[in-house]
Amino acid sequence: MDRSQLLKGLLDIIVLRVLDNEDGYGYEILHRLRKAGFDDLGDASVYGTLRRLYRAGYLSTYVQPSESGPHRKYYSLTEPGRKYLREMRDAWEDVSTKMRHLFDVPKKG
Amino acid sequence: MTESPRRTEIAAYLVAVERHLSDLPEPVREDLLSDLDSHLAEVVADLAPGTTLVDLLGSPESYARELRETAETEREEAGARMRRRFRETVEPLVSRTRAAADRYAASTGHTDAADLAARLRPGWWVARGVLVAALFVYWLSAAQYGVTGFRVLGSLPGLILLTAAVLFGAWASLRIGAKSLEWGRDRRRWTAAAGLAILAISAYQFAWFLGVPQVEYVETDYSGGATDVGDVYVYDADGQLLSDVYLLDEYGNPIELGDPWTCTDEYGQPMATYDVDYGYQYPLCSVGGRLPLEDPSTAEPTASETPMESEPATTPEPDPTASAEPTADTSASEVPTTPEESATS
């Protein structure tokens, strides 16, 4: 089963949750996600999600120079972003509880 | 690793991705691509030597596909995309035209095209008012001419009416124009459209006045019924009028042009000579070579003097001997002998 399709709907909540702990820049955010086990996510998906959330006002950006290499654009959650994350989390909890119940119902026969 | 090869690698990757995102709405695409450059630079900074962007991120196509799936809120519908493309092609043209208009206006000593247009506006108001007045008088005269037969154009009352109408039209148009400055955009657009319509109608109506050749349709008819062609005059190469001529088409059928009833004899019968096989003799109104149509006053007496004894062979022109002979010869040679009709009618 292609998990990437399943994850697409959860990209917002995943990226927002990762940034909730600590601000991060594009490629580094992907590393964090990989570390969390989301191996199926590509760089483009993360980058695209970051830009969409930024356009929606859930993220703000600031540029920080790095010792090695180019400047990095850091993303951090805005207040609407935090609110959106809470709502998304509630929705996820609701759906996942129902899913668990659905799977826990013993099969007939 | 060196900087410049990496930079060209990023640029090439970027161009390829951009190409695959061309159908995205402008703001979304702009936002994605404006930052993708620096994002790819961050990625490249972490890249191990020997690995390429494609190794790490996959092909630009798949990258673009992934981007559009996540970044795009909804796909731009076909209609919107076509409108956007149209706007994008037309906009440079419009701006170039605008710049040219500004330059033109500046060269005439005005600030820009808008300034020049503002100066010209009252002149345009007067012009459209005058045009409406002229159309009004023209149509009025045309409509009443059919009823009363009085020519408004060229008469003194007509001149007075025209002057009054022009003065009133210009005045009303100037008033409308002055008020229109306070109107909203929609209403001003309608006014502008009405102005253009006035121009178009005037151009159509007064084209004859400007010397534009008019297309005229003259109805010609073989059956010889009521047509605009009343009679047919045939001239030879020397400019001499031929009489007693028959007109035949390539099948030998008579071509019946004109109206035999154009001129009648004292009994009210057509004077034209008719042959069963060759049709009418032309000119229809030729009586002894005279053409009653050309000079109606002398035509009547001539017609009554020699009602049916028109002798076709003799055409009494100012120079009878010179012209009569060839004419007689031509008619004789052209028309196969029909003694009863042509010689002794």
Side-chain angles (χ1 to χ4, degrees):
Chain A
M1 155 75 203
D2 185 10
R3 284 187 200 180
S4 62
Q5 276 311 112
L6 199 58
L7 284 175
K8 288 258 157 63
L10 298 172
L11 267 171
D12 284 16
I13 196 171
I14 292 168
V15 169
L16 283 174
R17 178 71 189 94
V18 162
L19 284 172
D20 199 18
N21 293 346
E22 194 188 349
D23 296 351
Y25 64 93
Y27 198 52
E28 183 228 343
I29 294 167
L30 183 70
H31 276 304
R32 285 194 216 168
L33 292 175
R34 291 266 159 83
K35 220 179 282 171
F38 294 107
D39 297 325
D40 297 326
L41 286 177
D43 179 67
S45 298
V46 175
Y47 175 72
T49 306
L50 281 171
R51 293 314 300 177
R52 183 163 43 76
L53 291 171
Y54 171 76
R55 276 203 310 279
Y58 298 139
L59 294 177
S60 61
T61 62
Y62 56 94
V63 175
Q64 234 178 33
S66 72
E67 311 85 56
S68 60
H71 294 311
R72 284 162 179 169
K73 186 173 255 185
Y74 277 78
Y75 291 86
S76 69
L77 253 67
T78 60
E79 209 32 63
R82 278 179 222 289
K83 187 166 168 263
Y84 179 59
L85 176 59
R86 276 198 298 277
E87 285 166 8
M88 290 289 282
R89 183 177 183 156
D90 289 346
W92 165 251
E93 300 288 4
D94 181 49
V95 170
S96 74
T97 314
K98 282 169 185 166
M99 288 301 292
R100 192 159 303 284
H101 278 301
L102 193 62
F103 280 120
D104 282 351
V105 173
K107 279 196 280 188
K108 278 182 184 171
Chain B
M1 67 180 166
T2 48
E3 265 306 305
S4 60
R6 282 306 194 191
R7 285 239 58 93
T8 51
E9 189 184 354
I10 290 172
Y13 199 86
L14 208 61
V15 166
V17 171
E18 190 175 352
R19 205 171 53 234
H20 289 97
L21 294 177
S22 59
D23 62 327
L24 281 180
E26 195 60 34
V28 177
R29 199 166 58 104
E30 205 100 292
D31 176 74
L32 282 176
L33 294 172
S34 68
D35 228 55
L36 193 57
D37 188 24
S38 54
H39 175 74
L40 290 178
E42 287 172 11
V43 174
V44 163
D46 284 359
L47 217 55
T51 50
T52 62
L53 265 180
V54 177
D55 292 336
L56 191 74
L57 302 177
S59 71
E61 288 90 336
S62 66
Y63 195 88
R65 199 182 320 119
E66 220 178 304
L67 257 186
R68 75 159 70 248
E69 276 170 8
T70 52
E72 200 181 354
T73 36
E74 66 230 37
R75 209 187 175 87
E76 192 181 16
E77 49 177 303
R81 185 159 68 241
M82 277 175 70
R83 276 197 297 279
R84 177 171 60 79
R85 291 253 166 90
F86 178 73
R87 210 174 45 242
E88 280 169 10
T89 34
V90 166
E91 238 153 43
L93 227 110
V94 169
S95 64
R96 218 175 304 154
T97 313
R98 223 169 248 165
D102 278 344
R103 274 200 304 280
Y104 175 80
S107 71
T108 61
H110 295 80
T111 328
D112 54 7
D115 181 37
L116 180 62
R119 294 278 187 93
L120 291 176
R121 214 166 278 146
W124 155 240
W125 293 340
V126 170
R128 80 181 168 190
V130 167
L131 281 176
V132 168
L135 279 174
F136 168 73
V137 173
Y138 183 66
W139 283 335
L140 185 77
S141 77
Q144 67 82 39
Y145 182 67
V147 181
T148 65
F150 179 71
R151 276 186 189 277
V152 168
L153 299 175
S155 70
L156 184 65
L159 193 67
I160 293 169
L161 174 69
L162 184 67
T163 313
V166 161
L167 284 176
F168 176 77
W171 173 80
S173 176
L174 279 169
R175 267 192 77 95
I176 292 171
K179 279 222 175 117
S180 73
L181 294 178
E182 303 153 15
W183 289 351
R185 205 167 135 178
D186 272 8
R187 221 166 149 195
R188 290 175 71 165
R189 273 194 184 161
W190 279 110
T191 315
L196 286 177
I198 290 169
L199 265 187
I201 295 168
S202 305
Y204 176 73
Q205 282 287 307
F206 298 128
W208 59 271
F209 190 71
L210 301 170
V212 178
Q214 302 271 300
V215 178
E216 274 179 32
Y217 299 96
V218 178
E219 190 185 353
T220 55
D221 196 340
Y222 271 23
S223 68
T227 66
D228 288 331
V229 180
D231 204 346
V232 176
Y233 302 131
V234 184
Y235 291 85
D236 67 10
D238 300 325
Q240 296 294 337
L241 180 64
L242 305 181
S243 61
D244 314 318
V245 177
Y246 292 102
L247 297 179
L248 300 174
D249 65 15
E250 70 268 37
Y251 306 110
N253 298 319
I255 297 171
E256 296 184 355
L257 280 170
D259 180 12
W261 293 90
T262 311
C263 40
T264 51
D265 60 17
E266 54 185 330
Y267 309 109
Q269 291 302 308
M271 287 189 293
T273 315
Y274 183 75
D275 179 87
V276 183
D277 294 319
Y278 303 110
Y280 286 104
Q281 261 185 21
Y282 293 98
L284 292 169
C285 295
S286 158
V287 177
R290 291 270 184 84
L291 299 169
L293 272 185
E294 281 183 345
D295 195 354
S297 55
T298 59
E300 290 305 311
T302 328
S304 53
E305 273 172 26
T306 50
M308 290 306 276
E309 290 170 14
S310 57
E311 293 173 73
T314 58
T315 20
E317 288 286 295
D319 189 4
T321 44
S323 63
E325 283 312 302
T327 323
D329 284 348
T330 333
S331 61
S333 60
E334 263 181 14
V335 179
T337 50
T338 50
E340 304 93 320
E341 288 296 322
S342 62
T344 65
S345 69

